[in-house]
Amino acid sequence: MADNGRKITKYRRPLNLNIGMLIFVAIFIYVIICVATYFKTDHIVGYNVQEGSLTSNSIYTGVALRTEEIVTSNDAGYINYFAREGARAAVGNLIYTVDETGRLSDYIHASESGENSLSDADLSELKTEIIAFTSRFDRTEFMDVYNFKYSVEGTALKLSNYNILENAGALNDASGTTFINYRYAAKSGIVTYYIDGYENLKPEDMTEELFDQKQYEKQHLVNNELIAKGDPVYKLSTNEDWSIVIQVDDENILEQLVEKEVVEVRFLKNQYTSWGTVETHTNEAGDNLVSLTFTNSMITFCNDRFIDIELLLEDEKGLKIPNSAIVEKEFFIVPKEYLTKGGNSGRDGVLLETYDDEGNAATEFVPTTIYDATDTEYYLDDTVLRADNYIVKPESTEKYKISKTGSLTGVYNINKGYADFKQVNVLYENEEYSIVRSNTVYGLNVYDHIVLDASMVNDNQFIYE
């Protein structure tokens, strides 16, 4: 069959745009814009005000200063201790012996190679010392292991020396010549066997370097060692009164300590508490130092130069709000007698002086919000009034020129859906939160809803969370 020269073309259906499709496209574009805007916009977050408290307790590492006397040897020879470290020695108690010939040292070494036993009481003392160390051991302070090692060695040797002392008389010369010198305490006090250079320091002598434990050096006075005449042999703490010196950089805590004069302190080593008398000092570098003086517990910490303590200061209670919500705002200050009530709602306001087109003076009631008050003045909103405006005293012709301003600390309350400034009285603050006074006339109440970040809003801005 012939084609007759006909050409077949494809029919294109026309685009059928109806009103429904246009609306759908418009809504789709609008949703995309809203989603994009949502993710690009900083969102205003609210915060529910709750009652709470901020614990102003603070942990410090202080330096213990005591009345310490270093006793030096009058003899040369091998020293052996018989007074237990950390125990109180009375006048006339045997503290140590000095063996000039070394016979006692040889006898001790010979005894160590044979069988030597400790009494149940002696073993109990060693167990107590080991348990106390393991309970407070901190892996970050490995130097404490060496201190513990010296302490246990000294305790064990001193315990065994008590048995050896009973046979010391047999070591003397047959002619009666004594080679072992017995040295007794000339004063009463707590005996310790180390020196560190801090013995004669006063609180005002403390420097930042002396607080650095990495630079601290403690010299242990080891039992059964050869000493020379004039070498330090032991140390005696002769006064139960002692002090812990701390560096205080926080001005708030420093003011609290000065105000209290006496503060409760918890010792983190054993969780015991005691009351310390507060004294403040300033060293040559201008550092603020606080010494806490105690009348007890010195014997417990006689071997410790650095002591971790916690200051148990009182808690401030009130409304707890984040510091990010707090802002300062300027207000006009006017005398109280210029405020009146007017309008249909009976709101507080002022009589603003105005002028008509012909220059005639008149007054207009302008409602305004009170944000704080003193005995004689009100803090008024600056969004309605302007500087250099005149307000008229009610039932009088006296006028007052608005010029005085003052700042208030507050937050933005959003209970009504817009940012409404509320004045707050901060009682105490730390790095994150503040405690503000509750039940104030122009302030916050518990369960109020405020803006978490005050920098994100302006006065009277509508809030969409």
Side-chain angles (χ1 to χ4, degrees), residues 30-47:
Y30 175 76
V31 169
I32 292 177
I33 293 174
C34 288
V35 171
T37 304
Y38 177 84
F39 285 106
K40 290 183 178 180
T41 303
D42 292 330
H43 302 288
I44 297 173
V45 180
Y47 176 85

Side-chain angles (χ1 to χ4, degrees), residues 319-330:
L319 302 179
K320 185 176 181 180
I321 60 175
N323 290 337
S324 59
I326 298 176
V327 66
E328 282 197 2
K329 186 177 181 299
E330 291 288 327

Side-chain angles (χ1 to χ4, degrees), residues 145-353:
V145 176
Y146 294 98
N147 295 334
F148 173 67
K149 171 178 176 289
Y150 288 121
S151 178
V152 171
E153 285 180 350
T155 300
L157 286 172
K158 286 190 286 287
L159 291 174
S160 63
N161 283 355
Y162 278 108
N163 297 325
I164 296 171
L165 183 63
E166 297 176 359
N167 301 319
L171 300 176
N172 290 332
D173 192 286
S175 63
T177 303
T178 301
F179 296 102
I180 300 176
N181 299 309
Y182 297 82
R183 298 306 176 198
Y184 304 91
K187 296 180 180 180
S188 63
I190 309 302
V191 178
T192 51
Y193 298 114
Y194 74 92
I195 57 175
D196 56 9
Y198 285 65
E199 285 79 12
N200 297 316
L201 291 177
K202 297 179 180 179
E204 57 269 22
D205 298 330
M206 295 300 300
T207 62
E208 187 173 353
E209 291 75 17
L210 293 175
F211 282 99
D212 187 355
Q213 297 186 55
K214 294 181 180 179
Q215 299 185 27
Y216 175 72
E217 294 183 1
K218 186 176 185 179
Q219 179 185 348
H220 293 272
L221 305 176
V222 182
N223 188 68
N224 201 25
E225 289 290 318
L226 181 64
I227 63 169
K229 184 177 180 179
D231 284 352
V233 287
Y234 71 95
K235 187 165 58 178
L236 203 63
S237 300
T238 58
N239 197 329
E240 186 66 23
D241 294 347
W242 64 297
S243 299
I244 295 178
V245 182
I246 59 176
Q247 285 182 296
V248 180
D249 299 324
D250 191 320
E251 292 294 335
N252 290 328
I253 293 180
L254 184 61
E255 290 177 6
Q256 289 185 67
L257 291 174
V258 173
E259 182 179 351
K260 287 179 176 297
E261 297 182 353
V262 178
V263 65
E264 189 175 12
V265 174
R266 176 183 289 118
F267 301 102
L268 300 187
K269 178 179 179 179
N270 55 13
Q271 297 300 308
Y272 291 167
T273 61
S274 184
W275 290 87
T277 303
V278 177
E279 286 188 58
T280 58
H281 312 272
T282 304
N283 60 17
E284 294 182 356
D287 299 324
N288 292 323
L289 305 173
V290 173
S291 63
L292 305 167
T293 302
F294 305 92
T295 58
N296 54 37
S297 305
M298 187 273 290
I299 190 172
T300 305
F301 303 98
C302 61
N303 272 318
D304 301 312
R305 184 62 71 186
F306 293 91
I307 302 177
D308 294 327
I309 62 172
E310 182 180 9
L311 304 180
L312 303 180
L313 304 176
E314 293 181 1
D315 296 344
E316 295 286 2
K317 296 181 179 180
L319 302 179
K320 185 176 181 180
I321 60 175
N323 290 337
S324 59
I326 298 176
V327 66
E328 282 197 2
K329 186 177 181 299
E330 291 288 327
F331 295 90
F332 289 124
I333 302 176
V334 303
K336 279 188 172 182
E337 56 266 24
Y338 283 84
L339 211 73
T340 185
K341 291 185 180 294
N344 297 328
S345 61
R347 290 183 56 188
D348 293 319
V350 294
L351 298 176
L352 180 65
E353 184 179 65

Side-chain angles (χ1 to χ4, degrees), residues 53-165:
S53 64
L54 288 183
T55 302
S56 54
N57 298 349
S58 299
I59 294 176
Y60 291 89
T61 298
V63 174
L65 299 182
R66 297 171 280 262
T67 304
E68 298 171 310
E69 296 183 12
I70 298 176
V71 179
T72 57
S73 176
N74 294 324
D75 315 289
Y78 290 91
I79 189 169
N80 291 282
Y81 294 112
F82 294 91
R84 300 187 184 186
E85 188 169 30
R88 182 178 295 278
V91 176
N93 285 167
L94 177 64
I95 304 298
Y96 67 97
T97 63
V98 176
D99 174 19
E100 297 180 0
T101 63
R103 291 184 180 182
L104 183 58
S105 177
D106 294 339
Y107 183 79
I108 290 174
H109 288 303
S111 299
E112 290 175 352
S113 61
E115 293 186 3
N116 200 354
S117 61
L118 298 176
S119 67
D120 291 341
D122 295 339
L123 288 173
S124 177
E125 180 178 348
L126 283 173
K127 287 179 181 178
T128 301
E129 190 168 350
I130 293 170
I131 292 172
F133 169 76
T134 55
S135 64
R136 65 175 187 270
F137 174 64
D138 184 355
R139 295 179 182 274
T140 62
E141 300 292 339
F142 195 76
M143 183 59 67
D144 291 343
V145 176
Y146 294 98
N147 295 334
F148 173 67
K149 171 178 176 289
Y150 288 121
S151 178
V152 171
E153 285 180 350
T155 300
L157 286 172
K158 286 190 286 287
L159 291 174
S160 63
N161 283 355
Y162 278 108
N163 297 325
I164 296 171
L165 183 63

